[in-house]
Amino acid sequence: MSTLLDVQDQADSLDRAAAAFLELRPRLFGIAYRMLGSPAEAEDIVQETWLRWQNSERSAVANPAAFLALITTRLSINAAQSARVRRETTVGRWPAEPVDTGDGPAAGAERGEAVESALLLLLEKLTPAQRAAYILREAFVYPYEQIAEIIQLTPANVRQLVSRARKHLSVPRREPIDIGEHRRLLTTFLDAAQRGNVTALEDFFAADVAGPPEPAVLKGAA
């Protein structure tokens, strides 16, 4: 009896996963298409995202839109870089990574690395303002006006930032990153995506875009 109930629970869970994915599918396709410029390649990315979503620990994901958008971004970046390497016949930049769609601890670890790798690439390729605008818009579906309030810019500027971020993600430019910053972004993002703590994410981006405070000037200093 318990086995039948387990099977039914799994079927219900998969139905809910499919419903959530289908609702977000047009947005995921748009992310992949803007980064790759090919409907066929974008469709492949969306299908791969679905496989990962099927085999993920969905009960631990409070924000499916953020989770799926980030995985789609990471897969699209890999695809774009892999295609560029093949075209230019260069070696050692961004090799395509093997995809493990199986279940179990190994797959869970790989999915965790997927999120970590995607955020790492955003840190390497985007400015703080571009990164904030891109993640809040693409992963958390914030309106431009709300993003503008968070990072103290106009909605028009935010639109430009998101557009530039999409372009920069498909080029090989990489900047050195701070490991501590990467860890803070990863922790804050996962907290927002899995537990819904978007306030902390907003505060993180607001401070990141504003930059470090100016050092205090001592009285009497030259």
Side-chain angles (χ1 to χ4, degrees):
M1 185 66 174
S2 61
T3 301
L4 292 175
L5 290 175
D6 290 342
V7 171
Q8 185 61 49
D9 287 344
Q10 291 176 4
D12 291 344
S13 175
L14 190 57
D15 286 344
R16 290 192 296 272
F21 182 83
L22 288 175
E23 182 179 354
L24 295 166
R25 195 181 191 285
R27 182 171 189 82
L28 302 179
F29 180 86
I31 292 173
Y33 179 70
R34 285 192 295 269
M35 296 181 66
L36 297 172
S38 165
E41 291 183 10
E43 186 63 36
D44 288 343
I45 294 298
V46 172
Q47 291 301 315
E48 185 58 52
T49 302
W50 163 243
L51 291 176
R52 291 177 180 239
W53 180 234
Q54 275 184 292
N55 294 293
S56 66
E57 292 293 333
R58 295 184 297 275
S59 61
V61 179
N63 193 324
F67 180 87
L68 291 169
L70 194 62
I71 296 303
T72 301
T73 297
R74 186 259 189 166
L75 291 172
S76 299
I77 291 171
N78 281 351
Q81 296 292 354
S82 179
R84 180 172 291 103
V85 168
R86 290 195 300 271
R87 287 197 304 270
E88 298 176 355
T89 64
T90 56
V91 179
R93 284 184 180 173
W94 296 84
E97 299 177 17
V99 175
D100 178 8
T101 58
D103 205 354
E110 197 280 337
R111 285 188 293 272
E113 291 174 2
V115 176
E116 188 169 349
S117 297
L119 292 177
L120 181 66
L121 292 179
L122 296 182
L123 283 167
E124 290 176 333
K125 291 173 173 288
L126 305 181
T127 66
Q130 290 169 352
R131 188 162 57 244
Y134 181 85
I135 292 177
L136 290 174
R137 179 63 183 173
E138 297 291 358
F140 291 89
V141 203
Y142 274 48
Y144 290 109
E145 292 76 13
Q146 188 175 358
I147 300 172
E149 292 179 4
I150 293 170
I151 61 176
Q152 297 296 297
L153 293 172
T154 67
N157 285 338
V158 171
R159 289 178 182 274
Q160 291 180 345
L161 287 171
V162 174
S163 176
R164 289 170 184 167
R166 291 167 182 159
K167 294 176 182 177
H168 289 172
L169 285 173
S170 63
V171 300
R173 180 181 67 87
R174 297 173 65 181
E175 299 293 337
I177 68 164
D178 181 275
I179 298 302
E181 182 183 12
H182 178 222
R183 179 56 53 187
R184 289 190 295 275
L185 175 58
L186 177 63
T187 300
T188 308
F189 180 91
L190 291 177
D191 193 40
Q194 295 178 350
R195 288 178 285 276
N197 187 11
V198 294
T199 301
L201 186 68
E202 294 174 3
D203 291 343
F204 177 91
F205 284 136
D208 192 30
V209 173
E214 292 292 330
V217 178
L218 298 177
K219 291 184 178 180

